[in-house]
Amino acid sequence: MGEIYADALAGASAELEYVDGTRTLLETTRWFEPIDGDETMLRRCAGPTLDIGSGPGRLTVALNRRGIPALGIDITPHAVHLTRRAGGFALRRSVFDELPGSGRWETALLADGNIGIGGHPGVLLRRVRELVRPGGRAIVEVDPPGVSSRVDRVRLRRDDVVGDWFAWAVVSADDIRRTARLGSFDVTDCWPEARRWFAELR
């Protein structure tokens, strides 16, 4: 996954391929600039914020520019490089690795569908619960109501070069309360903005 994803961040064309053969374009270019709806997440990031799966760092950098301490983590070295080059702070880490500030983050950010990381949203949220301080929050982007929550097997493809299959979950706004409880969170708000859906977990 890493090499194809890194090349996509550098401008190469890549696709996300599903086990049934369906392919969708991996639109990495959209992650470099503000996206409609970002502001509603950024406003709720109070105190030190951990941006999980930060990619090229648009949200990490935006928070730093607002004076909010923020750290991006991503498994791809090129993504970390892009974040640092843009003026943000980032580390090459999985969310399941040992991380600085564990148990003391005010906010954890799971944007751009990153609630799907690992294919087990409940497991992911339990890990996030370990990372935030007591009373801390998670700001999560979810799929719209009516979308079926599921776990897909997917891989990245660039022409004839393919990555390994991995699990990626989709969580609908309809199911975020149940999913949040698996991570010992309560949903305090769930709302739409600019055709995207978000939830705040405490």
Side-chain angles (χ1 to χ4, degrees), residues 131-142:
L131 295 170
V132 299
R133 69 165 185 81
R137 75 187 78 188
I139 307 299
V140 179
E141 184 168 357
V142 294

Side-chain angles (χ1 to χ4, degrees), residues 12-193:
S13 177
E15 296 174 307
L16 191 65
E17 182 177 18
Y18 296 79
V19 290
D20 66 358
T22 303
R23 300 182 192 178
T24 60
L25 183 65
L26 187 65
E27 298 181 278
T28 56
T29 54
R30 69 192 295 267
W31 297 329
F32 283 81
E33 300 293 335
I35 301 173
D36 288 347
D38 282 356
E39 181 63 28
T40 195
M41 290 186 292
L42 295 170
R43 283 198 307 266
R44 293 179 184 235
C45 291
T49 297
L50 184 66
D51 184 6
I52 299 167
S54 52
R58 78 178 191 281
L59 298 172
T60 304
V61 172
L63 289 167
N64 289 157
R65 288 175 177 167
R66 293 170 184 227
I68 296 175
L71 175 68
I73 57 169
D74 201 283
I75 62 171
T76 305
H78 189 57
V80 171
H81 166 73
L82 290 170
T83 301
R84 292 174 176 173
R85 189 176 71 181
F89 300 100
L91 293 175
R92 183 190 178 192
R93 295 283 195 282
S94 162
V95 65
F96 297 104
D97 290 340
E98 185 175 341
L99 293 171
S102 182
R104 300 193 300 274
W105 293 99
E106 175 70 26
T107 306
L109 187 57
L110 286 164
D112 302 323
N114 283 338
I115 185 67
I117 289 173
H120 297 282
V123 172
L124 174 60
L125 288 178
R126 283 197 293 273
R127 173 57 176 152
V128 170
R129 182 65 188 85
E130 295 172 350
L131 295 170
V132 299
R133 69 165 185 81
R137 75 187 78 188
I139 307 299
V140 179
E141 184 168 357
V142 294
D143 272 60
V147 172
S148 296
S149 297
R150 63 189 186 277
V151 178
D152 292 316
R153 295 287 293 175
V154 297
R155 66 182 178 182
L156 296 184
R157 171 183 287 272
R158 186 184 66 248
D159 299 324
D160 292 330
V161 178
V162 295
D164 294 331
W165 293 104
F166 60 94
W168 193 268
V170 172
V171 177
S172 167
D174 294 326
D175 298 319
I176 187 57
R177 295 184 187 279
R178 177 182 56 81
T179 304
R181 286 195 294 271
L182 296 174
S184 299
F185 282 102
D186 291 319
V187 176
T188 57
D189 197 6
C190 187
W191 72 98
E193 182 77 24

